[in-house]
Amino acid sequence: MPLPKLATLIGGLLLSKGGRRVAGRHAGKLALAALAFQLWEQRQAGKRSGTASAERPVHPRRRWSGRRV
């Protein structure tokens, strides 16, 4: 199983002393970014496989003009 790009990036960051300091200071932000990136990758994979379009047809939404009737 190949390592994800994000894991190698964070691993490289942890090799240097300054990188460890930055990673420690921004650990929560790095964790959120990693989670968001994984979620985004999963959604992109779902779009490519075509499972999302098979569940329900996509209808173009009408734009709201801002005028009330």
Side-chain angles (χ1 to χ4, degrees):
M1 180 174 146
L3 281 175
K5 295 176 195 172
L6 196 61
T8 56
L9 179 74
I10 293 174
L13 187 69
L14 294 175
L15 287 176
S16 68
K17 187 176 182 181
R20 283 192 301 273
R21 191 176 324 133
V22 168
R25 193 177 305 144
H26 303 289
K29 293 175 197 161
L30 285 170
L32 280 174
L35 183 67
F37 182 71
Q38 286 178 346
L39 241 158
W40 177 80
E41 276 189 328
Q42 286 176 359
R43 297 208 42 166
Q44 293 301 314
K47 283 183 185 177
R48 277 187 234 119
S49 66
T51 57
S53 62
E55 290 174 7
R56 65 177 180 153
V58 178
H59 299 288
R61 294 180 185 254
R62 295 189 50 164
R63 255 183 102 164
W64 182 57
S65 64
R67 197 178 70 172
R68 295 188 181 172
V69 179

